[in-house]
Amino acid sequence: MTEYPPFAVTADLVVLTVRADELHVLLVRRGVPPFEGCWALPGGFVGIDEDLPDAAARELAEETGLPEPAGHLEQLGTYGQPARDPRGRVVTVAWLALLPGLPTPVAGSDAAAADWVPVNRLDRARLAFDHGRVLTDGLERARAKLEYTPLATAFCPAEFTVAQLRAVYETVWDTRLDPRNFHRKVTGTPGFVVSVGRNTEGERGRPAQLFRRGPATLLHPPMLRPPA
Amino acid sequence: MTEYPPFAVTADLVVLTVRADELHVLLVRRGVPPFEGCWALPGGFVGIDEDLPDAAARELAEETGLPEPAGHLEQLGTYGQPARDPRGRVVTVAWLALLPGLPTPVAGSDAAAADWVPVNRLDRARLAFDHGRVLTDGLERARAKLEYTPLATAFCPAEFTVAQLRAVYETVWDTRLDPRNFHRKVTGTPGFVVSVGRNTEGERGRPAQLFRRGPATLLHPPMLRPPA
DNA sequence: CGAATAGTGTCTTTTAGACAATATCAC
DNA sequence: GTGATATTGTCTAAAAGACACTATTCG
């Protein structure tokens, strides 16, 4: 293999979650050059015998401290401009992860400097490397996929109410949705959610049915973002 | 950079076109091991100072013999199982290209063994490396994107009729569409196509208006695949 | 003229979206 | 009861899909 140009390959993660009605991304503060002191996406080098999805899952577990419980992980894209890393020719395979709002904080994780940052109060141009562009692509992917897949449930705990699911859509899309039409649409789309037969207790207002994610992988009909 | 595991990086292409009402993919017959004699996706190693999209465009130009005229090129995904290439650790960034049915054959190209193969009469399991899976992913991406983008026009010449565009949809989706509803939908979707004010001549039947691709990047409303 | 293809009109069903009304809890 | 939230119902507009009909060419 010495006759071929040698590259380093990394796996970087866009990890999104919803906390307190704001969309957050998991970032780490870099402690070493290059971009020392800057926010960056969590990630690291892929092992020479490691498969790409395994590397992404390993990084995700390391950075969140969780043994990868619920949630969703998919490949986002590969970024490899020759000058993107001053240390040499590094190509990064970026991954998009969606997690439920963690009841436990990120404590116990490898990266002590990891933190959840609200995406709407973050200057993406300040991120290390080309991570601003990666984050932008990840956000657009997540927003688009909420339309035609049941992926919004990846932001929710295993059991959730229609109102919680609606809050996910409203937060990720940064819009308001009519609760009554939303309810009819979610419960009317085959396989999106299934009732667990129990209700919430001790909340304000009328108790709400609890649901789990259904078996559908594609939504028919899709949930459409309001135009403009 | 010697402290990081060294990878080779390739750019492989899923190049699709429509000829004679069949969807074709551009394949090359491998002349050297590994997988000597097998069909494979065209591609090659990325230069150490070469950007990833540049490498893809270069390979596309080399294999088709065209200076990348019309058409569409986008990143499909990255494949890097440790054992996918017996020569060593090779990660490939796959690209999806859509081209109009070439009036000129592939002659004059670098790869003398390149050929268009109908995807429906091809055993994907026989392709070299993991190219069967890459092709499957590329086909699904193309089929899905015809729904909500004007990408079907990438399969057409610069000026085309509604019937030609319909033939693209029917071929890629392997289905039949009602010509009358299709016409109303295409011409009624803002920015999908724009009339050039001229008609076809010398064809059978009533002459058809010629259109060009419009400015829209997303279709509202989308063209939906018939269910089941 | 007849065959063939292009394009328009009409009707029915489905879905989106606005919003009234009712249900069931905590207090 | 009052306030809050959940859920159902009703209406209108937009879009999907089936299909009759008209338009324009070639031979």
Side-chain angles (χ1 to χ4, degrees):
Chain A
M1 291 300 301
T2 53
E3 65 264 31
Y4 305 122
F7 289 69
V9 176
T10 56
D12 286 333
L13 294 166
V14 177
V15 188
L16 302 179
T17 197
V18 173
R19 333 174 86 198
D21 288 331
E22 279 195 302
L23 186 61
H24 288 64
V25 60
L26 186 67
L27 295 179
V28 297
R29 186 75 80 168
R30 284 187 63 82
V32 297
F35 298 100
E36 187 172 0
C38 282
W39 287 115
L41 297 176
F45 288 91
V46 176
I48 195 67
D49 290 315
E50 188 177 33
D51 198 1
L52 301 180
D54 293 344
R58 172 179 57 78
E59 293 289 345
L60 181 59
E62 285 177 11
E63 304 286 353
T64 61
L66 304 168
E68 205 204 350
H72 170 83
L73 181 63
E74 69 175 45
Q75 197 184 114
L76 178 58
T78 298
Y79 300 79
Q81 288 183 6
R84 65 178 291 278
D85 190 324
R87 294 168 296 182
R89 189 66 201 272
V90 180
V91 163
T92 191
V93 182
W95 298 77
L96 175 65
L98 310 182
L99 298 182
L102 285 283
T104 49
V106 190
S109 108
D110 249 24
D115 214 344
W116 293 108
V117 179
V119 294
N120 286 336
R121 291 184 274 145
L122 168 66
D123 183 359
R124 289 178 212 165
R126 290 251 166 68
L127 291 182
F129 307 103
D130 50 5
H131 288 182
R133 180 149 142 57
V134 178
L135 174 56
T136 296
D137 292 348
L139 288 171
E140 182 45 37
R141 173 81 66 92
R143 288 178 176 134
K145 279 210 148 187
L146 290 206
E147 291 201 318
Y148 54 94
T149 72
L151 230 61
T153 58
F155 286 111
C156 295
E159 299 188 351
F160 52 87
T161 67
V162 174
Q164 280 178 280
L165 190 63
R166 176 164 48 85
V168 167
Y169 276 94
E170 292 182 334
T171 300
V172 177
W173 286 349
D174 197 16
T175 187
R176 308 295 296 185
L177 301 172
D178 184 286
R180 300 158 292 184
N181 292 335
F182 183 86
H183 189 283
R184 250 190 313 107
K185 230 183 144 173
V186 166
T187 55
T189 299
F192 192 178
V193 297
V194 294
S195 172
V196 302
R198 282 177 293 108
N199 289 348
T200 55
E201 294 173 8
E203 305 284 324
R204 269 183 311 187
R206 172 175 170 178
Q209 276 188 79
L210 286 168
F211 293 87
R212 291 181 167 278
R213 175 176 174 165
T217 58
L218 247 35
L219 301 184
H220 288 295
M223 311 287 297
L224 294 178
R225 275 181 275 194
Chain B
M1 291 300 300
T2 53
E3 65 263 31
Y4 305 122
F7 289 70
V9 176
T10 56
D12 287 334
L13 295 167
V14 177
V15 187
L16 301 179
T17 197
V18 173
R19 332 175 87 196
D21 288 331
E22 279 194 302
L23 186 60
H24 288 64
V25 60
L26 185 67
L27 295 179
V28 297
R29 185 75 80 168
R30 284 186 64 82
V32 297
F35 298 99
E36 186 172 1
C38 283
W39 288 113
L41 298 175
F45 288 91
V46 176
I48 195 66
D49 291 316
E50 188 178 34
D51 198 359
L52 301 179
D54 293 344
R58 172 179 57 77
E59 293 289 345
L60 181 59
E62 285 177 10
E63 304 287 352
T64 62
L66 305 168
E68 206 204 350
H72 171 82
L73 181 63
E74 69 176 44
Q75 197 185 113
L76 178 58
T78 298
Y79 300 78
Q81 288 183 6
R84 64 179 292 278
D85 190 324
R87 293 169 297 182
R89 190 65 202 270
V90 180
V91 163
T92 190
V93 182
W95 298 78
L96 176 65
L98 310 182
L99 298 182
L102 284 283
T104 49
V106 190
S109 108
D110 249 24
D115 214 344
W116 293 107
V117 178
V119 294
N120 286 338
R121 291 185 274 145
L122 168 67
D123 183 359
R124 288 178 212 165
R126 291 249 166 71
L127 292 182
F129 306 104
D130 50 5
H131 288 182
R133 180 151 140 57
V134 179
L135 174 57
T136 297
D137 292 349
L139 288 171
E140 182 45 37
R141 172 80 66 90
R143 288 179 176 133
K145 278 209 149 187
L146 291 206
E147 291 201 319
Y148 54 93
T149 72
L151 230 63
T153 57
F155 286 111
C156 295
E159 298 189 350
F160 52 87
T161 67
V162 174
Q164 280 178 279
L165 189 63
R166 177 164 48 85
V168 167
Y169 276 95
E170 292 182 334
T171 301
V172 177
W173 285 348
D174 197 17
T175 187
R176 308 294 291 178
L177 301 171
D178 185 286
R180 302 159 290 185
N181 291 335
F182 184 86
H183 188 283
R184 252 190 310 107
K185 228 181 146 174
V186 166
T187 55
T189 298
F192 192 177
V193 298
V194 294
S195 172
V196 301
R198 282 178 292 108
N199 289 349
T200 55
E201 294 173 9
E203 305 284 323
R204 267 182 313 186
R206 172 175 169 178
Q209 276 187 79
L210 285 168
F211 293 87
R212 291 182 166 277
R213 175 176 174 165
T217 58
L218 247 35
L219 301 183
H220 286 297
M223 311 287 298
L224 294 178
R225 274 180 276 194

